[in-house]
Amino acid sequence: MKTLKLIAICFLVSAYSFANVSTSDKDALIALYNSTNGAEWNSSWDLNLAIDTWYGVKIENERVVEINLQFNNLNGPLPSEIGNLTSLKILNLGFNKLNGTIPSSIKQLKELKDLQLFMNRFEGEIPSELGELKKLESLKLYSNKFMGEIPSTLMGLTNLKELLLGSNFLTGQIPTEIYALTKLQKLSLMDNKMDGEIPAEIAQLKDLEELLLSTNQFSGDLPKEFMNLTKLNTMMVSDNNLNQQYISVSGKNPPTLMHLELQNATATMDIEKE
């Protein structure tokens, strides 16, 4: 009888340990742990403890809403089960050793606002399914091994404030539909293999503060319409195949002080320094 009571108590304790999160979310977290060598993480999870004690996991209303495991030695592919975390708002797995491709199931994370997978070893193409994450405000995929063109579907992410895709192996041109990203503040495509002319449509991004396009194969001239980017304080377009050489600029208030010598071999910006 005592044995039965002990078993019952153990069962209740075990059930309570996972009572603060849905079963599908629990299974997805365990899949992430198993797929990325969780036992070797810098801050690992004790799978026998309540999920709300697990490092980097935030829970609201019995659903996982945030995973922040940057600098945590995750090593392996991102499992398809990640798509079951449908209440997730923030996913930060930067500075790890994640590899393989981003699973298409990521399109199920409709509540996601912040996706940070930078400084990993992801490869393949940037999945077009990311374009279905309409609430996304920050997309950071820089410093991986992504190839191919920027999916045109990303131009439908009209809530984006940050699009950072630098230091990959991306090819092709900047989509002219980029004008649709009207809330964009930071755009980085630097250190890729992109080509074609820099589209004047970028000048329609009135909130743009940082534009990093250096170290590619862009050609032609810098659009004179960029003079209309009144909030722009950092611009890097060097190391391309442009008709002229342009210095990299960064300063407190370049908008009204910007002076591009488009007739000369060098364009300069007169900037008030901090």
Side-chain angles (χ1 to χ4, degrees), residues 159-216:
N159 285 306
L160 269 187
K161 296 179 181 178
E162 299 179 304
L163 179 58
L164 309 183
L165 307 178
S167 296
N168 281 290
F169 298 93
L170 300 177
T171 55
Q173 303 181 10
I174 300 174
T176 55
E177 296 85 356
I178 198 166
Y179 67 84
L181 305 182
T182 55
K183 297 180 181 179
L184 204 62
Q185 298 172 359
K186 297 181 180 182
L187 174 62
S188 175
L189 304 175
M190 64 185 299
D191 190 22
N192 278 291
K193 298 182 178 180
M194 300 185 67
D195 56 23
E197 295 191 358
I198 298 174
E201 285 81 359
I202 291 178
Q204 298 182 41
L205 307 179
K206 301 302 183 183
D207 288 334
L208 199 63
E209 299 173 1
E210 293 186 9
L211 177 61
L212 309 180
L213 303 178
S214 58
T215 317
N216 277 284

Side-chain angles (χ1 to χ4, degrees), residues 22-80:
S22 72
T23 301
S24 61
D25 281 12
K26 178 197 73 173
D27 291 343
L29 291 176
I30 292 176
L32 176 63
Y33 178 90
N34 290 331
S35 182
T36 60
N37 200 19
E40 298 299 323
W41 291 356
N42 295 332
S43 296
S44 191
W45 294 340
D46 186 337
L47 303 185
N48 294 314
L49 295 181
I51 293 176
D52 58 7
T53 68
W54 292 4
Y55 173 78
V57 177
K58 183 177 180 180
I59 297 170
E60 292 179 359
N61 300 320
E62 300 186 348
R63 297 301 306 274
V64 175
V65 295
E66 179 176 343
I67 299 176
N68 191 335
L69 295 175
Q70 67 173 353
F71 282 112
N72 205 40
N73 198 38
L74 277 68
N75 191 345
L78 200 58
S80 61

Side-chain angles (χ1 to χ4, degrees), residues 78 98-102 117 120-124 144-146:
L78 200 58
L98 296 169
N99 54 46
T101 59
I102 298 177
L117 300 178
N120 278 286
R121 300 169 182 173
F122 286 110
E123 56 190 15
N144 279 285
K145 299 179 181 180
F146 290 115

